[in-house]
Amino acid sequence: MNAAKAEILLLAPDLLGESLALQLTSEVPSWSIALRSDELNRHPQLVIWSLDSTESIALLHQELIRLQEHWQPAPVLLLLPASVAIPAVDLLSLDIPGLLQAPDLNTLREAIETLLQGGRVVRLAQANPSTPPPQPAMGLGQWLLTSGLQQITNDLQVIDALLVPPPDNLLLRLMLEGRQRELQSARSLLLLLWGPLQIGLADVQPLGQRQTTVSQPGDLTIDGNGMAITVRERNAIAVWSSIQERLSQAVDAGVSNGTGSLLAIEGLQPERRRDLLLSLLQQLDQVMARLRAPSVSSDSSNNLPIDAQWDSLQPELRRQAIQAMAGSYVHLPRGDQLQPVAQHLINASDLSQNDDDLPDPRRMLEPLVRDQPVLVNGQLLPADHPKALLQLETLVSNWLVRSAELISAELLGLCGDWPELRRYLLDERLLPTRDLERLRNQLNNQSRWQLWVKRPVQLYESQRLLYQLRGGSIAPLLLIEPRDEELRRLGWWQQQVALLLEARDAIAPQMQALVQRIGDLMVVVLTQVIGRAIGLVGRGIAQGMGRSWQRGSTNRG
């Protein structure tokens, strides 16, 4: 009977270790937990190391390496207290199968079961407060610009909060919208005249936040709700299952727009947004399974590279997502007869469009289909590593949002001449034709501005805007990565925008030096020439007044 028990070594302070061992063995009698190595009957299947406190990530990393080398191949589960001085991003860099922060008994038991089955578990209670790096001192002009932008942003956030929902008083609504346009124009003028281009992206953020996440590939942003990752097995299928589960939970939590720009998906009813994203996620799961399956047919498409296969499957994936979202058996009146909604949407939509801002699909497909390692900050990590998994999750969520945007833009166009379809798919505020057409025009203008101006700027600055599903909203993430090949493929007008940026960067230092020299010259002129001249004039006046006073005194005497 004892031979069948799982041997677990628990390294913890005496009282804590005895308490945990007693509670765990009482819940799971098939576990044999030893508090010291000499109590083991055989090599342990799992090593649990509980820490009261830790200050140095380097020392912790060295101790974990020694522990893993001594007890290999047994996995190591590290238990941390609720308050840790080490940032969460550094904790995720530890190459250990299990990492729990302040777990309860049920969480600990589930983590042990997962690790005994060969999986990986990460649970961080919350984002650790870390000291921000010191910022360089700002000059007076930069300080004035930054403070002005912050004040404008704060006022815009207040107005946005007052306009959601719109006030019933029409005069108040018009005044707020006018003030909003005035502030946006003032911000654009400030950025155009004085600000560096990247400051303009500081307002692409959810309401209430103060900065946009600018990240290197693999850098992580962990919110205050903590993070939980569970991978049942350490392979590509288990990693994809974990990502799919996490994204499904994010979609179920609600999808609001936290990007600071208009999104076509906002025009859909909340239920339709959720159904569209979940159906896209489900279709993506089927595409992953199809790409993962070995080729047994003579179809030439199966012999194509994985990115070519992916591109060929996109139109069908979107058609299936529309059918699942609209409902296969839903019919709505149009004129004197009932028409199937899903079939009409599929036939009338152009589903072969591509989004040029999507990253190379191989970065997402190779690890999730072929179990290839992921490049994170210059390191090749397995797909089940927390940093690699979160990077893959970001790529999948970005594809999810951008695909939903392409479909939603098509649906908005098709609802214009079918009122019943508008009631079925769109948000109630878009039922008036004027509001629907206004939104479509705004989306078209935003798309043109993005294509002709913002995209060349992002390419030249090696930035890529990704969308994350996080905290019940769609959040932006600026990824820093080389995009030279895309920059070379730009059209003539877009290349002129990039050329203007390059010319500005080249001329700005000379102009700054010229202005500084002119300022120094003005200081010299004002102090050395005009100042001395005024001093001489004043001295002459004083001397003249003194002589006049002396003459007057003499005459009186």
Side-chain angles (χ1 to χ4, degrees):
M1 196 71 174
N2 293 334
K5 291 187 176 182
E7 289 282 343
I8 300 175
L9 176 60
L10 176 58
L11 304 176
D14 294 338
L15 293 179
L16 177 61
E18 293 175 1
S19 175
L20 283 178
L22 181 60
Q23 295 180 54
L24 291 173
T25 52
S26 62
E27 286 199 6
V28 187
S30 61
W31 292 347
S32 175
I33 300 180
L35 299 179
R36 294 187 300 272
S37 58
D38 55 4
E39 296 178 0
L40 293 170
N41 297 321
R42 61 182 184 276
H43 195 80
Q45 296 174 254
L46 175 65
V47 177
I48 304 176
W49 185 23
S50 178
L51 292 179
D52 290 335
S53 63
T54 180
E55 300 293 337
S56 173
I57 186 65
L59 294 177
L60 180 59
H61 183 65
Q62 293 177 3
E63 291 297 329
L64 283 173
I65 290 178
R66 296 192 189 101
L67 197 64
Q68 289 176 317
E69 290 178 350
H70 186 271
W71 295 108
Q72 63 178 345
V76 175
L77 172 59
L78 178 62
L79 304 183
L80 296 175
S83 179
V84 182
I86 302 175
V89 175
D90 293 338
L91 291 176
L92 291 180
S93 64
L94 299 174
D95 189 13
I96 52 174
L99 176 61
L100 300 181
Q101 184 178 5
D104 54 21
L105 188 61
N106 291 331
T107 302
L108 180 58
R109 178 176 50 81
E110 294 173 358
I112 293 175
E113 292 175 350
T114 301
L115 292 173
L116 290 176
Q117 296 172 2
R120 182 190 287 266
V121 178
V122 175
R123 293 283 191 279
L124 295 182
Q126 60 184 2
N128 296 305
S130 57
T131 303
Q135 300 293 332
M138 293 189 298
L140 178 61
Q142 187 179 3
W143 179 82
L144 291 174
L145 173 64
T146 304
S147 61
L149 289 176
Q150 289 177 351
Q151 183 178 358
I152 291 175
T153 301
N154 293 336
D155 293 344
L156 284 174
Q157 290 179 348
V158 173
I159 293 176
D160 290 341
L162 293 175
L163 289 174
V164 180
D168 297 332
N169 190 328
L170 180 60
L171 180 60
L172 176 60
R173 179 179 177 180
L174 293 176
M175 292 177 60
L176 290 174
E177 291 178 348
R179 178 59 176 167
Q180 185 182 46
R181 290 192 295 269
E182 179 184 353
L183 290 172
Q184 291 174 348
S185 301
R187 181 183 58 188
S188 301
L189 183 61
L190 276 176
L191 293 174
L192 179 63
L193 294 178
W194 302 106
L197 293 173
Q198 62 269 23
I199 292 183
L201 297 171
D203 297 321
V204 186
Q205 57 188 359
L207 182 63
Q209 292 187 3
R210 297 301 179 95
Q211 62 182 5
T212 300
T213 303
V214 181
S215 175
Q216 295 287 343
D219 287 351
L220 309 173
T221 301
I222 302 172
D223 55 26
N225 297 325
M227 183 185 61
I229 297 176
T230 300
V231 182
R232 300 299 177 186
E233 298 179 7
R234 303 180 69 174
N235 54 44
I237 298 177
V239 171
W240 165 242
S241 299
S242 177
I243 293 175
Q244 186 180 10
E245 181 181 357
R246 286 169 55 85
L247 290 179
S248 298
Q249 294 174 356
V251 173
D252 289 334
V255 181
S256 60
N257 183 8
T259 64
S261 58
L262 285 176
L263 294 178
I265 197 173
E266 286 185 279
L268 302 181
Q269 295 179 10
E271 293 183 1
R272 299 292 174 259
R273 295 180 218 164
R274 174 182 173 276
D275 294 341
L276 177 58
L277 290 171
L278 290 180
S279 59
L280 280 170
L281 194 59
Q282 183 180 5
Q283 294 302 318
L284 179 59
D285 180 44
Q286 298 181 9
V287 168
M288 292 285 185
R290 181 171 176 179
L291 294 175
R292 201 177 290 120
S295 176
V296 295
S297 64
S298 59
D299 189 359
S300 59
S301 62
N302 294 329
N303 299 323
L304 294 174
I306 191 170
D307 54 341
Q309 296 183 49
W310 168 262
D311 292 338
S312 65
L313 292 173
Q314 292 303 295
E316 180 61 26
L317 182 151
R318 295 168 185 169
R319 283 192 289 268
Q320 296 297 328
I322 290 177
Q323 187 167 2
M325 183 269 297
S328 302
Y329 303 102
V330 176
H331 291 66
L332 293 178
R334 189 178 189 185
D336 298 333
Q337 57 183 354
L338 294 175
Q339 289 192 7
V341 173
Q343 194 61 40
H344 171 75
L345 295 178
I346 292 174
N347 294 336
S349 300
D350 181 13
L351 303 177
S352 60
Q353 303 179 56
N354 294 321
D355 192 335
D356 294 332
D357 284 328
L358 279 170
D360 189 344
R362 290 175 296 181
R363 295 173 52 186
M364 176 179 67
L365 298 177
E366 293 283 356
L368 296 177
V369 174
R370 298 176 178 173
D371 206 5
Q372 297 294 319
V374 182
L375 182 63
V376 181
N377 291 339
Q379 295 180 339
L380 285 175
L381 301 176
D384 61 281
H385 192 281
K387 283 191 172 183
L389 188 144
L390 290 178
Q391 178 172 309
L392 292 173
E393 180 184 328
T394 299
L395 295 176
V396 174
S397 64
N398 178 67
W399 173 87
L400 201 63
V401 173
R402 290 189 179 275
S403 298
E405 273 295 288
L406 292 176
I407 296 175
S408 300
E410 292 292 322
L411 298 183
L412 291 177
L414 296 176
C415 290
D417 55 352
W418 193 350
E420 287 76 12
L421 181 63
R422 199 182 306 174
R423 293 190 181 95
Y424 179 67
L425 290 181
L426 302 187
D427 191 80
E428 60 180 7
R429 59 187 173 85
L430 295 181
L431 293 180
T433 303
R434 179 180 180 182
D435 293 337
L436 176 60
E437 294 302 321
R438 181 191 296 119
L439 176 62
R440 291 181 58 195
N441 291 331
Q442 291 175 345
L443 288 171
N444 290 334
N445 293 334
Q446 179 180 271
S447 177
R448 295 189 189 98
W449 180 257
Q450 169 69 26
L451 177 64
W452 295 107
V453 178
K454 295 183 69 175
R455 187 165 187 269
V457 172
Q458 291 178 355
L459 291 179
Y460 186 70
E461 296 182 346
S462 299
Q463 295 179 349
R464 186 186 298 276
L465 181 61
L466 303 180
Y467 295 121
Q468 291 179 310
L469 293 172
R470 188 181 65 211
S473 66
I474 301 173
L477 174 71
L478 278 178
L479 202 67
I480 306 300
E481 62 178 14
R483 304 184 68 181
D484 299 341
E485 185 63 29
E486 297 175 76
L487 186 63
R488 284 190 287 268
R489 294 200 302 264
L490 289 177
W492 181 85
W493 170 259
Q494 296 167 311
Q495 290 181 354
Q496 304 312 305
V497 174
L499 185 61
L500 285 176
L501 294 177
E502 185 176 0
R504 174 186 174 181
D505 294 340
I507 297 175
Q510 286 79 4
M511 291 297 297
Q512 185 177 3
L514 178 61
V515 171
Q516 185 175 1
R517 295 289 180 84
I518 293 176
D520 295 340
L521 180 61
M522 293 297 296
V523 170
V524 172
V525 171
L526 290 174
T527 58
Q528 301 297 325
V529 180
I530 299 179
R532 288 188 176 184
I534 293 176
L536 292 175
V537 171
R539 184 182 299 175
I541 294 174
Q543 291 177 354
M545 292 178 63
R547 292 172 182 174
S548 299
W549 182 77
Q550 290 178 357
R551 291 174 183 174
S553 299
T554 303
N555 293 333
R556 286 195 301 269

